Amino acid sequence: MSSGNKHPYPFMIVLGTLCCLGVLSLFNNALSFGSHTTRPLDILADLKKEDAAPPEESITASAKKTATVAPLPVDYATYPGIIEYGDQNSGMRSFMHALKALRAGQRKKVRIAYFGDSMIEGDLITQDLRDSLQAFFGGDGVGFVPATSVVSGFRTSIRHSFSPNWMDYHFKNVPPKGTELGISGHVFLPAAQSWIRYEPAKKHPFEEVSLLYGSGGGEVMINNKSLRLDGKNNLNEKSFISDSSVNSLTLKFNTTTLFYGACFESQKGVFLDNYSFRGISGIELGKLSKNMWTQMQSVRPYDLIVLHYGANVLFLPENTKFDWYERPMVKVVDSLRRLFPQTSFLIVGTADKAYKKKGKYVTAPGVKALMKIQHNFAESRGMAYWNLYSAMGGEGAMTRWVEGDTTYANKDYTHFNFRGASKVGGLLYKAIMDEYKQEQL
C-alpha cells in the first residue's frame, strides 16, 4: 500500500490563499465603520523595513537621529523659521543670551517651560528637543515629572509608576478651597502609604533631584531614608543629590502635604520641563494664581516659556471664528508677560489638521484662521513665533504625514506618532539653533 498524501488540493488551497493575501497587501485595504478604522492587512510588513516603527525601548535613541528619516517638504515660501517680535527680553534674545553664557561657562543652568496639550503628552516632541539641546549645550535629566500621570506607561524618557491612592486635583475638577494648582495644572494629595517610583530610562542614574510640594510639614521616605519636608509657601522645593549607586527612587509619603512632582537634572546644562495637559486650549492657564507663578519662578526660574496649543481649538474643523479663544488667551499672554519681564516667550503655531471632505482628507479651514490669531498675539505682545504648520509643509501636510510611504501622524489626522513627534522636535531644534547662530554673528 502506498503511503503519503496523493491529494494536492490542501496545498493548492493554502498556496492560493497566500497569493491572494499577498496581492491584497499591496493595496490600502483598511475599512472604516463610523469613527473606527480597521488595521490594514499586510502579510509583507516584515519585509518593509523602512516602514517599521522602532521598538519601544529604542524610541528615544532613534529620535536623536531625526536627520536620517525620510525628508519632508517644507513650505519655504511662507516659513522663515522663528520670527522675532520681541525686544531684548521678551522674544528669543534673552534666551539666546542665556545659552551663550551657558556655553561660555558663565552660568550653570538654562531652563525651558514647554506648555501644551495632548500633542506633547508623554514627552512627545519635547524629549527630542531636550536631547538635542543637551547634546550641544550639556545637561542630563528630564526635568519636571508629576506625581501621577495618565500617560506614564506611554512616556519613554523616564519610567514612572505610583500607587492608586493619590487624589489628583486639576483644571477639570474642583479642588477644595485653599488647594492651589501648580503650573502643570495639577496638585496631588497623598493618602496613607502613597508611593511614587521614578527610574531613569537611560543607563546612568539620577543626579540632582528636587521635590516640589505645598505648605506644612511631613516626612517622605526616599529609598527607605527619611527626608523632612517643611515650608511656609504654597510652593516649596527640597533638593538633594541622588546616590549614584542607586538606579531608581521610591518615595513613600507619611504626610498629607500637597505634592506637585519631582524634577531631575544634572548640575549644569539645559533643562526642559514638559507641562502637557490633555484636552485644553491654553486659556486654562488663566486659572493659576499670580502667587503660584511667581513662587515657581523663584524656586525654578525659566529662561524661555513655550506655549504650544491649537488641537483642541479646532474641534469644529470648518469653524473660522475663534473669539471665545482669542480674548482669554491674550489675557493669559499679557499676564505672563507682566509676571516674567526678563523671560523669553515663544508661541508655537498650530499644526496642520485634516478632515474628510468629499471623500478626501484636506486641511481644515480653521487651521489658517487660528494660525493668524496666534501669530497676531505673538506680534502684538512682542513674542517670538514659530509656524509649525509651514514647517510641516503647509497646505495638506497632515494628509501627507498620515498617508505617505513613511507615516508621521495617526489616523485621526491630528496627532503625531513617535516618528512624527521626533521630526517636529528636530525641526524646532533647527529653528532654535538657526537663531543661536545668528546671535553669534
Side-chain angles (χ1 to χ4, degrees):
M1 181 182 295
S2 163
S3 62
N5 184 2
K6 294 183 178 181
H7 301 286
Y9 301 113
F11 171 75
M12 296 301 292
I13 292 171
V14 171
L15 181 61
T17 301
L18 290 174
C19 290
C20 291
L21 292 175
V23 171
L24 187 60
S25 297
L26 299 176
F27 301 93
N28 183 5
N29 53 67
L31 300 176
S32 295
F33 302 94
S35 61
H36 301 283
T37 301
T38 63
R39 180 178 296 179
L41 172 68
D42 188 359
I43 66 170
L44 305 176
D46 289 341
L47 302 178
K48 300 176 181 177
K49 294 182 181 179
E50 63 182 14
D51 291 336
E56 185 171 294
E57 63 271 15
S58 67
I59 288 170
T60 302
S62 68
K64 287 189 175 182
K65 301 177 181 178
T66 304
T68 66
V69 300
L72 289 169
V74 174
D75 184 8
Y76 288 107
T78 56
Y79 178 63
I82 291 175
I83 305 174
E84 177 63 79
Y85 290 118
D87 54 24
Q88 287 296 316
N89 298 318
S90 59
M92 293 291 283
R93 292 190 183 95
S94 178
F95 177 61
M96 293 300 154
H97 294 162
L99 290 177
K100 184 179 178 181
L102 177 67
R103 186 81 167 166
Q106 298 169 354
R107 61 182 293 172
K108 291 184 176 181
K109 295 186 178 186
V110 171
R111 289 198 184 98
I112 303 167
Y114 199 119
F115 293 88
D117 50 30
S118 57
M119 299 293 276
I120 68 166
E121 69 179 359
D123 214 10
L124 288 181
I125 300 176
T126 50
Q127 69 179 0
D128 298 281
L129 177 59
R130 182 192 302 113
D131 286 349
S132 297
L133 289 170
Q134 289 181 341
F136 187 84
F137 293 101
D140 183 40
V142 299
F144 174 83
V145 184
T148 76
S149 170
V150 295
V151 294
S152 59
F154 172 76
R155 183 171 182 170
T156 62
S157 56
I158 189 171
R159 287 186 283 272
H160 177 203
S161 55
F162 42 85
S163 61
N165 59 349
W166 284 88
M167 183 62 208
D168 176 9
Y169 296 111
H170 50 75
F171 284 140
K172 294 188 175 184
N173 61 21
V174 183
K177 187 176 181 179
T179 302
E180 192 159 6
L181 299 180
I183 67 171
S184 67
H186 295 264
V187 64
F188 304 90
L189 179 65
Q193 297 301 309
S194 290
W195 58 267
I196 312 168
R197 182 173 295 113
Y198 299 108
E199 300 176 69
K202 300 178 182 179
K203 292 182 180 179
H204 38 89
F206 298 131
E207 187 173 337
E208 186 175 282
V209 182
S210 299
L211 306 183
L212 302 179
Y213 58 96
S215 62
E219 180 186 55
V220 58
M221 302 296 292
I222 302 177
N223 291 351
N224 296 318
K225 293 182 180 179
S226 175
L227 180 69
R228 182 71 185 175
L229 302 181
D230 48 46
K232 297 180 180 179
N233 296 323
N234 287 345
L235 178 70
N236 303 279
E237 178 187 50
K238 178 80 74 174
S239 299
F240 60 91
I241 302 299
S242 179
D243 186 341
S244 60
S245 65
V246 176
N247 58 11
S248 68
L249 290 177
T250 300
L251 283 60
K252 294 182 179 179
F253 290 77
N254 296 315
T255 176
T256 56
T257 298
L258 293 171
F259 191 69
Y260 294 96
C263 306
F264 302 92
E265 298 181 344
S266 56
Q267 295 183 56
K268 295 181 180 179
V270 175
F271 307 100
L272 188 156
D273 292 346
N274 175 298
Y275 292 115
S276 62
F277 198 111
R278 181 183 298 180
I280 68 172
S281 65
I283 63 177
E284 291 81 359
L285 297 178
K287 297 179 180 180
L288 303 177
S289 73
K290 175 182 176 181
N291 180 58
M292 178 54 66
W293 284 111
T294 55
Q295 288 186 13
M296 189 68 172
Q297 189 71 350
S298 68
V299 301
R300 194 166 179 76
Y302 291 111
D303 299 284
L304 172 66
I305 292 176
V306 182
L307 301 175
H308 181 171
Y309 295 100
N312 299 298
V313 184
L314 296 167
F315 56 89
L316 296 175
E318 294 190 345
N319 176 49
T320 58
K321 302 294 184 182
F322 299 111
D323 290 350
W324 65 269
Y325 162 79
E326 182 177 11
R327 292 191 184 97
M329 194 63 196
V330 166
K331 289 182 179 179
V332 168
V333 168
D334 285 344
S335 176
L336 293 176
R337 286 281 283 109
R338 287 192 298 269
L339 287 170
F340 309 120
Q342 304 302 316
T343 299
S344 289
F345 285 86
L346 174 64
I347 304 297
V348 174
T350 182
D352 188 28
K353 175 185 175 70
Y355 78 120
K356 201 168 189 177
K357 185 174 184 180
K358 296 181 180 179
K360 291 184 178 181
Y361 280 94
V362 297
T363 291
V367 170
K368 291 183 180 178
L370 175 59
M371 189 168 58
K372 182 178 180 180
I373 288 172
Q374 293 173 326
H375 172 269
N376 286 348
F377 67 64
E379 181 179 18
S380 63
R381 266 60 189 177
M383 298 180 168
Y385 175 78
W386 188 58
N387 190 332
L388 174 55
Y389 167 83
S390 291
M392 290 175 63
E395 184 80 22
M398 184 56 76
T399 302
R400 296 192 294 273
W401 282 47
V402 174
E403 299 177 0
D405 292 337
T406 302
T407 57
Y408 292 93
N410 298 325
K411 289 287 187 179
D412 63 359
Y413 289 80
T414 300
H415 293 89
F416 305 116
N417 59 20
F418 277 107
R419 190 184 291 109
S422 174
K423 187 72 177 177
V424 173
L427 289 168
L428 181 51
Y429 172 70
K430 182 183 183 304
I432 289 173
M433 292 306 292
D434 286 346
E435 290 295 301
Y436 179 74
K437 291 170 185 175
Q438 281 293 115
E439 199 67 33
Q440 299 297 94
L441 297 179

